Amino acid sequence: MFKEQLKLNQPFVSGFLESALIPGKEKLANAYLLTGNNTIDMYFLALETARILNCSHKTENCACNNCQWIRQNRHPAVITISPIDYIHANKDGKPKTVITIDQARFLKKALSVSSQYHRVIVFTDAKEGKEYESKAEQLWGNYKDFIAPPVLENSNSERESWLPLPLSYKTFHSEPANALLKIIEEPPPRVTFFFFTKDKEDMISTIVSRSQAISLKYNPENYIEDQVFENFFGNFPPNSAAEGILYSEKLIELAKENSLTLEEAINRLERYLILQIRQASGNKEYCLRLINQVKSIQKALIELKSYVNPQAVADSLAISLASRR
Ligand SMILES: [Zn+2]
């Protein structure tokens, strides 16, 4: 059903959603909370879900009107709500830096009118403008032929620099979120919500509790800074105590090079390991080892907070990681 490219990039979540979309056996949740750093894949997943739901053939390369319109992202069944999309709902019709209560109210009103389509509502942060052009080009990359940014109302011009980004507390406040709770819990027939965020912790808990959360495969290329760390952690953890000391020196160097404190660098290491754990959930032994390593990291972070000498913390962390291989 889903586009092959998407299945390759996000095998787990594609398979999961596809199995909820089997014709005659649909078992979709009211709302999905997609987590991770790959918002382009999230957007593709939401659009493919909308396409399958509104297509009569349910095939990958269908060219019916509904499929074509959804690929061009000009179909009334797909509603993208971000601080810079769906802005006609705002009193002044202008883009904002947050999702507004006006947008939430307007959406509720729009959904109260019945539709012949299965409507998919996407909540995401988004940015566009000259400074996002190169990033947009890099991230949209091979997807350009399969999906497109949402069209602007009353305009046919392409939004070359439009980028979907994860929502957080900063962009999705409790007021608009709470205005939507009832409709998320009991949506009208044939309405499905998607929320994009980096981590469950970044999203207001009332939305999390009403959604089915699915974490996407992490894309290290999305964050250049993360990539530096990922390359470094490729040789991780150290094999012996002696290597551990070398490793601790490198960690301190890397923190300096990236203008991070040692605490921040160790935090990145922790985040990297947690992502590894999420992706390796099928491999129990490997997960347990990673969990023990995370424990060592948490101990190091506590020591740093208690003003233990940073070099000593890095050394004992590296040795402890070596022993937990
Ligand atoms: Zn079709």
Side-chain angles (χ1 to χ4, degrees), residues 51 55-58 62-64 67:
R51 189 181 69 76
C55 166
S56 40
H57 309 298
K58 320 277 180 202
C62 178
C64 75
C67 284

Side-chain angles (χ1 to χ4, degrees), residues 79 86 102-114 119 179-180 183 188:
I79 299 175
Y86 205 65
D102 286 338
Q103 287 174 304
R105 287 192 185 127
F106 197 91
L107 175 71
K108 267 164 67 180
K109 221 163 125 194
L111 293 181
S112 70
V113 180
S114 68
R119 286 172 287 186
L180 292 162
I183 201 162

Side-chain angles (χ1 to χ4, degrees), residues 42-63:
M42 293 179 191
Y43 202 57
F44 201 177
L45 283 161
L47 288 186
E48 278 289 90
T49 302
R51 189 181 69 76
I52 299 291
L53 286 166
N54 290 289
C55 166
S56 40
H57 309 298
K58 320 277 180 202
T59 55
E60 185 191 328
N61 295 315
C62 178

Side-chain angles (χ1 to χ4, degrees), residues 101-302:
I101 183 88
D102 286 338
Q103 287 174 304
R105 287 192 185 127
F106 197 91
L107 175 71
K108 267 164 67 180
K109 221 163 125 194
L111 293 181
S112 70
V113 180
S114 68
S115 161
Q116 57 173 311
Y117 301 115
H118 189 122
R119 286 172 287 186
V120 167
I121 322 297
V122 177
F123 281 87
T124 179
D125 192 7
K127 294 262 191 280
E128 68 182 336
K130 263 216 141 0
E131 65 267 49
Y132 300 103
E133 271 173 11
S134 64
K135 189 81 182 160
E137 201 181 323
Q138 178 205 341
L139 288 188
W140 283 84
N142 305 326
Y143 286 5
K144 284 252 163 165
D145 297 333
F146 314 133
I147 50 167
V151 288
L152 274 178
E153 289 127 82
N154 310 320
S155 163
N156 269 332
S157 64
E158 294 234 343
R159 301 170 80 186
E160 295 282 341
S161 63
W162 188 86
L163 266 185
L165 294 165
L167 284 170
S168 72
Y169 283 112
K170 286 184 194 152
T171 40
F172 193 33
H173 296 164
S174 57
E175 206 189 6
N178 288 335
L180 292 162
L181 294 184
K182 197 157 178 288
I183 201 162
I184 295 169
E185 215 159 60
E186 291 169 40
R190 311 211 303 149
V191 169
T192 307
F193 294 90
F194 281 90
F195 298 90
F196 301 167
T197 188
K198 204 165 174 187
D199 191 284
K200 270 199 264 186
E201 308 292 316
D202 293 337
M203 183 63 91
I204 183 157
S205 62
T206 45
I207 295 282
V208 177
S209 66
R210 284 163 179 82
S211 309
Q212 170 141 36
I214 315 176
S215 69
L216 268 73
K217 210 169 124 190
Y218 189 69
N219 179 357
E221 284 169 23
N222 277 7
Y223 294 96
I224 292 150
E225 191 191 59
D226 281 359
Q227 205 172 7
V228 173
F229 278 83
E230 190 143 311
N231 291 343
F232 175 73
F233 297 137
N235 307 316
F236 167 90
N239 286 311
S240 62
E243 243 181 63
I245 298 295
L246 209 69
Y247 180 82
S248 120
E249 276 166 17
K250 271 194 192 159
L251 183 63
I252 290 169
E253 237 170 65
L254 188 76
K256 264 190 205 146
E257 277 168 18
N258 289 276
S259 322
L260 297 169
T261 62
L262 181 63
E263 187 180 350
E264 284 166 334
I266 294 177
N267 270 321
R268 304 293 161 96
L269 175 55
E270 185 185 20
R271 194 171 75 195
Y272 171 77
L273 287 174
I274 289 172
L275 284 163
Q276 298 295 307
I277 293 171
R278 281 190 192 152
Q279 283 169 29
S281 52
N283 186 339
K284 209 170 164 191
E285 200 183 312
Y286 179 53
C287 278
L288 275 176
R289 207 163 68 211
L290 291 172
I291 289 166
N292 280 329
Q293 287 166 355
V294 169
K295 281 183 190 159
S296 299
I297 285 170
Q298 285 165 347
K299 182 169 162 271
L301 289 170
I302 291 168

